[in-house]
Amino acid sequence: MKIALLGAESTGKSELARALCERLSQLALPVVRVDEHLRDWCQREQRTPERHEQVDIAHTQMQHILQAPAQHVVVADTTPLMTAVYSQMVFNDHSLDAPAIEWQQQFDITLLTGLDLPWVADGLQRDGAHVREPVDQKIRQLLSTANVRYQVVYGLGEQRLDNALFCIAREAAKHPSELAQRLHQALARNETLPKWTGPCETCGDGECEHRLFTRLVT
């Protein structure tokens, strides 16, 4: 079962991926984390990729995800869809859109990290707080084009983790696989998770989403 974490820079994807894996491991679920290939690439090359290098980064990211052990919950700290978004932003290149959309459809659950965290510099990979909203919008546009259902995760610290687990539990319940049902049942037994009280599960308005998850943790 594959869980994708998407989001603009400095929205806590890597921290959330680590926290999710730790919590799922504590619940005796088989889980593996696939880290962001771009981060390793930039650290190795000491620069950001050029246009012609984007396709290999996208392919390698997905290859690592597909090579994760079978019958595990796979938590992917980003997917090729993020490479496609930055190819649009930096190079005005849409050539990765189609393969990224096709790959994204292979994930069982897609979480989009919200913009409520403060922006923090992180070496070569981050351009500034001003790019987060345009990136967030492009992610949503591609997900909409791919007809991929997604959940937006807000909250600080444990709240963000609990909101993500809540979304995962709700989505896992809809999947027929044995692993998905084990995941749902394990999370459903966690009494600390917030209960759904919102009027709309598919609202795409950021402010509405933020109010919704604020109510979940109060």
Side-chain angles (χ1 to χ4, degrees), residues 50-59 80-88 91-104 142:
E50 298 178 6
R51 177 173 178 167
H52 70 278
E53 294 168 316
Q54 292 283 87
V55 63
D56 183 65
I57 288 171
H59 275 273
L81 190 136
M82 291 305 306
T83 310
V85 166
Y86 283 108
S87 288
Q88 291 183 26
F91 304 111
N92 194 28
D93 179 8
H94 290 258
S95 65
L96 293 179
D97 291 4
I101 286 171
E102 183 177 352
W103 281 323
Q104 194 65 37
L142 281 177

Side-chain angles (χ1 to χ4, degrees), residues 23-38:
R23 182 69 65 86
L24 295 180
S25 294
Q26 291 170 354
L27 295 172
L29 290 163
V31 60
V32 61
R33 187 180 79 239
V34 179
D35 291 330
E36 183 182 20
H37 173 61
L38 175 61

Side-chain angles (χ1 to χ4, degrees), residues 160-171:
R160 205 174 192 82
L161 172 61
D162 284 345
N163 285 338
L165 290 167
F166 170 83
C167 291
I168 290 170
R170 187 157 53 87
E171 291 301 301

Side-chain angles (χ1 to χ4, degrees), residues 136-137 140 152 154 203-212:
D136 183 81
Q137 288 303 311
R140 292 169 186 254
V152 184
Y154 287 99
C203 178
D205 179 74
E207 291 186 2
C208 178
E209 291 162 353
H210 200 170
R211 288 195 299 270
L212 170 63

Side-chain angles (χ1 to χ4, degrees), residues 86-123:
Y86 283 108
S87 288
Q88 291 183 26
M89 293 283 295
V90 179
F91 304 111
N92 194 28
D93 179 8
H94 290 258
S95 65
L96 293 179
D97 291 4
I101 286 171
E102 183 177 352
W103 281 323
Q104 194 65 37
Q105 291 168 336
Q106 298 183 42
F107 289 87
D108 302 291
I109 299 173
T110 295
L111 302 181
L112 174 62
T113 49
L115 303 180
D116 54 330
L117 297 183
W119 183 85
V120 178
D122 186 22

